[in-house]
Amino acid sequence: MSPQKAAGALSARERGVLLVLCGAIFLEGIDVAMLNVALPSIRADLGLSTGSLQWVMSAYVLGYGGFMLVGGRAADLFGRRRMFVCWLLVFLLFSGLGGFATEEWMLIVARFVTGVAAAFMTPAGLSLITTSFEEGPRRNKALLFYSGTAAGGFSIGLVVGGLLTSVGWRWVFFAPVALSALILPAALAFVPRQPRTGREGRSIDLTGGLTITAAVVLLVLGVERATHTSVAWTAGTLGAGLAFLVAFVVAERRAASPLVRLGLFRNAALVRANLAGLLFAAGFFGFQFLVVLYLQELRDWSTLQTSFAMIVVGVDAVLSPLLTPRLVNRFGNARVILGGLLLASLSYALFLPVGADWTYLAMFPSLIALGIAFSLAYGPLTIVATEGVREEEQGLAGGLLYTSFQFGAAIGLSTVSAVNVAATASTSPAALLGGYRAALWVPLAAALLASLVGAFGLRGRPAAAVVASGGSADQTAEIPVSR
């Protein structure tokens, strides 16, 4: 291996590929964030009820989370470049159609299809990275840039969404169209056609695809709607989801060419990464939701003020490609992940005593700590979840990870909402504050559980691995790290 490759340096072609794929994950993040900010304006303009507004969000989550595993496997079977480009085009079209919606059903359908498009596009993009860059320093460097861009898209989307909504909420749908229209030709130019493998072109496991999609859709739906419907409806939905999950496992055991090879779950590091990712996402999104409620409901901050307050969490967009590779190079993925999870726990703990008149400086330590925690945990979790996986299953590994993140986000949001509602006795400022304080224990508990899961990674077998930190091959020592 040349010194340049050992140091993790990327060629011009590889930088072009990485730019395209980072642009796509940035697009997905900014699309979700901008819509979150625009929801009140959409409700006022279209006259939507709270339940209808919830379905606008749920439609995307169901499409995204429900089809992620199928999307990841489709990338492995039918070609990653093909799946990425085709579904990027679908994303472009239906994101734009959402901006023309005049009825709630039009908006809900547009968001559902956009979510399905993201479910196919996102794991295809991740697997393009993990198969285009050889495992080790160069792949890790690419993945850390990729993860930083994903988080940066969400953080920047909060501010851009506030600005666009002040002009007109329809622009939050049209802006992603403009961005994806730039990414699409770049993808055709830079992303190379990959050589066919023995699995490409084979038919997908239809029974497995139908049962796992039904299972994930029902489970996500049950969790996300738990605070908006009866206990019986929630129990029935979750029960049906679990039944489909059992049917999926039975079908995969019998399938000659399964959608998900169950032996993949013998990879302990992959299982830990997915479980830790699920819990981390639950805490992260639940906490952000509570902070937004606190600032807008109790403190009466505007959407734009709230967006600027939260943008500090996006510091990970800078730290992920600059600081995290050096830390992983020195301490290994497992230790960096654990450090990030513990720092997230500290962030949530610092916010527990939140007061009715806290200044932004009082909130800042918690928010900046969360941004640093994300930079330490998210990228290395992505590395571990795809490391050591067969090339022909990289799309599936990416689909599993993103499904875990999405399901975790749904659990976190539903749980903090339920606790907040239960603990809020009235609409008085004191009661609202009490509800927030009670619900803040949920992200803390999720982060502590994630830290416990992450701690088991320290017991893994040592492996010689390094991450590029800008040195030469001779300067980069082989360090035993725990996966």
Side-chain angles (χ1 to χ4, degrees):
M1 183 181 290
S2 69
Q4 184 187 40
K5 285 192 174 184
L10 306 180
S11 67
R13 178 73 179 220
E14 288 173 329
R15 286 195 293 271
V17 172
L18 185 57
L19 181 64
V20 168
L21 300 177
C22 285
I25 197 66
F26 179 86
L27 170 68
E28 194 274 329
I30 200 172
D31 174 82
V32 173
M34 289 194 302
L35 182 62
N36 287 344
V37 174
L39 286 175
S41 297
I42 294 173
R43 173 161 60 180
D45 189 35
L46 297 184
L48 302 182
S49 66
T50 300
S52 297
L53 198 66
Q54 176 69 24
W55 273 113
V56 173
M57 291 301 298
S58 296
Y60 182 89
V61 171
L62 292 176
Y64 190 58
F67 287 82
M68 185 67 73
L69 284 176
V70 175
R73 197 63 182 135
D76 292 330
L77 294 177
F78 307 128
R80 299 179 177 99
R81 181 182 186 270
R82 181 185 304 159
M83 289 292 101
F84 178 78
V85 170
C86 289
W87 287 99
L88 176 60
L89 179 60
V90 176
F91 189 98
L92 181 158
L93 292 174
F94 278 86
S95 180
L97 287 174
F100 291 107
T102 56
E103 301 287 342
E104 66 179 71
W105 69 266
M106 298 171 64
L107 197 55
I108 290 170
V109 169
R111 291 309 295 169
F112 178 76
V113 179
T114 303
V116 173
F120 280 81
M121 179 182 73
T122 304
L126 178 60
S127 62
L128 278 168
I129 289 182
T130 56
T131 55
S132 298
F133 300 87
E134 60 185 320
E135 188 171 299
R138 297 165 75 249
R139 180 190 293 181
N140 294 345
K141 184 175 183 178
L143 285 174
L144 291 171
F145 270 103
Y146 186 75
S147 62
T149 305
F154 188 84
S155 301
I156 293 171
L158 292 173
V159 177
V160 173
L163 293 172
L164 291 176
T165 302
S166 64
V167 178
W169 64 265
R170 296 182 187 276
W171 285 103
V172 305
F173 291 93
F174 298 147
V177 172
L179 182 56
S180 52
L182 294 175
I183 298 171
L184 188 59
L188 294 172
F190 287 106
V191 179
R193 298 182 183 274
Q194 296 183 311
R196 283 186 169 272
T197 67
R199 302 186 70 88
E200 282 187 348
R202 290 174 60 174
S203 61
I204 200 164
D205 173 18
L206 185 59
T207 302
L210 290 174
T211 52
I212 192 59
T213 298
V216 176
V217 166
L218 287 168
L219 290 171
V220 172
L221 180 63
V223 168
E224 216 204 13
R225 302 286 298 177
T227 56
H228 304 280
T229 188
S230 66
V231 174
W233 189 93
T234 299
T237 306
L238 293 177
L242 290 174
F244 273 109
L245 188 60
V246 171
F248 166 73
V249 173
V250 172
E252 296 306 276
R253 287 184 178 277
R254 297 177 178 177
S257 180
L259 178 76
V260 178
R261 184 176 60 86
L262 298 180
L264 190 67
F265 296 103
R266 296 193 187 101
N267 183 333
L270 179 146
V271 173
R272 279 196 305 270
N274 278 270
L275 183 55
L278 184 152
L279 291 166
F280 179 68
F284 182 82
F285 286 98
F287 177 76
Q288 284 202 340
F289 175 73
L290 289 172
V291 172
V292 169
L293 286 182
Y294 164 74
L295 293 176
Q296 294 192 357
E297 287 188 348
L298 185 63
R299 305 298 300 277
D300 200 28
W301 286 26
S302 69
T303 298
L304 201 56
Q305 285 176 307
T306 303
S307 300
F308 276 112
M310 297 294 292
I311 198 172
V312 66
V313 180
V315 68
D316 62 302
V318 177
L319 297 181
S320 288
L322 298 179
L323 175 64
T324 308
R326 297 178 182 274
L327 294 176
V328 172
N329 181 53
R330 180 164 183 176
F331 301 109
N333 285 313
R335 290 179 176 82
V336 175
I337 290 170
L338 180 59
L341 297 175
L342 290 172
L343 189 57
S345 303
L346 176 62
S347 168
Y348 305 145
L350 288 173
F351 215 86
L352 284 176
V354 61
D357 56 353
W358 263 23
T359 64
Y360 183 66
L361 286 178
M363 307 174 212
F364 185 81
S366 179
L367 299 178
I368 190 69
L370 183 58
I372 298 171
F374 198 98
S375 71
L376 297 180
Y378 184 70
L381 279 172
T382 306
I383 294 171
V384 175
T386 56
E387 198 169 39
V389 177
R390 301 173 185 173
E391 181 170 332
E392 63 268 23
E393 294 180 323
Q394 283 292 328
L396 174 60
L400 283 170
L401 181 64
Y402 286 126
T403 299
S404 297
F405 280 132
Q406 193 68 24
F407 193 55
I411 291 175
L413 290 169
S414 177
T415 307
V416 298
S417 295
V419 173
N420 182 39
V421 170
T424 304
S426 69
T427 57
S428 68
L432 290 174
L433 185 61
Y436 303 143
R437 286 176 173 172
L440 281 167
W441 285 97
V442 174
L444 177 57
L448 290 173
L449 283 174
S451 300
L452 180 62
V453 172
F456 282 98
L458 300 180
R459 301 168 58 189
R461 63 178 179 81
V466 292
V467 173
S469 59
S472 68
D474 297 332
Q475 293 171 327
T476 307
E478 295 273 11
I479 304 174
V481 299
S482 298
R483 303 302 174 108

